[in-house]
Amino acid sequence: MGLVKTFIVSVFRLAAGLAFVCAALTGCLLASTAMGQDNLLDVARSLFSPIPKRAADLDGNPATLEKLELGKMLYFEPRLSQAHNISCNTCHQIGRAGGDGRSTSIGHNWQRGGRNAPTVFNAVFNIAQFWDGRAADLTEQAGGPISNPTEMGTTPGHAVEELKGIPGYVEAFGKAFPDEIDPLTYDNIARAIAVFEATLITPNAPFDRYLEGNENALTTEQEEGLRLFTDKGCSSCHNGINLGGSMYAPFGVIEKPGWEFLPPDDKGRVEVTRKVDDDYVFKVPTLRNVALTAPYFHSGHAWDLEQAVAVMGTTQLGTQLSPEEVDKITAFLQALTGDQPKVTYPTLPPSVATTPRPTP
């Protein structure tokens, strides 16, 4: 039975890999065919969309000024962590393109997280949140790190108790959720943070201006990189508004990268779905602002964008990109850096004598 099971698992994995390869090759072929028929801008518009100047409201969680201001305070609030030393901004820093510049983040009691912290910028446009897609939306994601013992290290109940012990937050939740009898709940903590996170978008990148009709927005090298990006098949996965974030894919479709890039004990989405063909499958990351968000991959092992591009060529496309091709694609990726959010650090409500104390 063991041999039969192993054979079946191998068949499933092979089928999943072949299906992905076919999809990638089909996308590459369609892009190449279109490139021969239309100009580069037309092809780009068929594959990508510009970041809007304003993010849309979240489903079932409309934004108000009071909720937005509360969400901003909570995003920077270290008292949501057990030791009062970690906030959302610790791992998703506004001043660092929504990441933290570490391979893996440091959490409660100096524990190391298992994966690189993905950028929160433009996350509102992703199909799901986290590398494995275990959170359906920003609201579900916002509540995860607070109660994760490796990250902020508290519990939902204690987080609510903490904020109820701060009079300024009791008042702020009442204003943000005026129709609720008990507005200060764990769900509303997540809702307020999600509303703030939805505003962290980066429009007006050179590539956005190009998509909007300014064909001079890209340099010649960046245009050549865009052409390679579509011709080689990169856009089969990295497409849409976020140039990623809209699908899942195995890391190592054609050729497995080294275990430093693909740690063997992190099997990705299979831990969420329990489906054997989701072994080493991860959400395709957004490439928006990628020039600002090193290190790369879920392992955070690649610190050089050119290296990351070359690795993706061999592992996902089965292509050994030349140094010149890598340089041109990297130049195009630099055109994805948009206007960074301007966020004023909020003044947080003070603790009082009865506010719960930190517990290291």
Side-chain angles (χ1 to χ4, degrees):
M1 287 298 293
L3 290 175
V4 172
K5 182 178 179 180
T6 301
F7 175 74
I8 292 173
V9 168
S10 300
V11 169
F12 269 113
R13 288 177 176 169
L14 178 60
L18 288 175
F20 183 83
V21 171
C22 289
L25 292 176
T26 300
C28 181
L29 178 61
L30 290 174
S32 299
T33 302
M35 194 70 74
Q37 296 173 346
D38 303 305
N39 66 38
L40 183 60
L41 178 56
D42 289 338
V43 173
R45 283 173 166 169
S46 73
L47 295 168
F48 315 106
S49 302
I51 295 284
K53 300 298 188 290
R54 178 185 178 277
D57 284 340
L58 304 176
D59 290 341
N61 188 15
T64 64
L65 180 61
E66 294 78 10
K67 194 186 296 183
L68 176 59
E69 287 302 310
L70 172 61
K72 181 168 72 171
M73 288 192 293
L74 294 174
Y75 189 88
F76 290 93
E77 180 53 82
R79 287 169 293 184
L80 280 174
S81 67
Q82 187 72 19
H84 291 195
N85 63 339
I86 299 172
S87 70
C88 302
N89 189 64
T90 302
C91 300
H92 302 283
Q93 298 172 25
I94 302 299
R96 302 192 71 177
D100 66 357
R102 294 180 178 272
S103 292
T104 57
S105 300
I106 297 174
H108 182 60
N109 282 339
W110 297 97
Q111 297 175 88
R112 279 279 186 182
R115 294 174 183 153
N116 176 256
T119 177
V120 72
F121 287 3
N122 305 305
V124 66
F125 304 120
N126 290 337
I127 190 175
Q129 306 301 324
F130 297 115
W131 281 99
D132 55 17
R134 65 184 182 273
D137 53 33
L138 283 180
T139 302
E140 189 175 343
Q141 178 276 326
I146 298 172
S147 60
N148 187 314
T150 305
E151 296 183 51
M152 297 173 75
T154 190
T155 64
H158 184 71
V160 170
E161 178 188 18
E162 186 74 43
L163 296 186
K164 283 188 173 181
I166 303 172
Y169 275 122
V170 174
E171 179 182 359
F173 273 87
K175 292 179 179 178
F177 301 95
D179 299 327
E180 300 190 21
I181 296 174
D182 181 14
L184 208 168
T185 65
Y186 194 70
D187 285 346
N188 283 347
I189 292 172
R191 289 190 183 103
I193 293 173
V195 164
F196 171 68
E197 289 181 338
T199 68
L200 301 178
I201 58 176
T202 61
N204 202 39
F207 187 53
D208 291 320
R209 299 197 298 273
Y210 179 80
L211 292 173
E212 290 164 352
N214 181 358
E215 295 191 63
N216 296 318
L218 300 183
T219 66
T220 299
E221 185 180 27
Q222 288 169 342
E223 285 190 336
E224 291 173 354
L226 169 59
R227 190 179 297 278
L228 285 167
F229 191 84
T230 56
D231 276 352
K232 295 290 185 180
C234 308
S235 57
S236 298
C237 296
H238 293 283
N239 50 48
I241 191 171
N242 248 0
L243 284 86
S246 61
M247 62 177 286
Y248 302 96
F251 191 4
V253 176
I254 306 298
E255 177 183 322
K256 290 290 185 187
W259 289 125
E260 68 274 20
F261 297 112
L262 187 64
D265 58 344
D266 183 357
K267 295 192 174 184
R269 188 159 169 75
V270 69
E271 299 298 332
V272 177
T273 65
R274 303 298 176 183
K275 296 179 179 178
V276 67
D277 52 347
D278 279 337
D279 265 1
Y280 300 109
V281 167
F282 298 89
K283 178 166 62 69
V284 175
T286 173
L287 295 181
R288 291 285 182 175
N289 305 291
V290 69
L292 306 179
T293 57
Y296 305 109
F297 307 135
H298 68 285
S299 59
H301 186 77
W303 286 85
D304 181 79
L305 186 53
E306 286 84 356
Q307 180 191 35
V309 170
V311 168
M312 292 302 285
T314 56
T315 61
Q316 305 304 97
L317 302 174
T319 299
Q320 188 73 42
L321 297 170
S322 69
E324 183 182 12
E325 289 172 330
V326 169
D327 287 345
K328 288 179 178 179
I329 292 174
T330 301
F332 164 65
L333 296 180
Q334 291 168 346
L336 302 179
T337 301
D339 293 342
Q340 303 297 288
K342 301 295 188 293
V343 177
T344 302
Y345 197 102
T347 299
L348 304 179
S351 297
V352 297
T354 55
T355 302
R357 299 292 180 256
T359 53

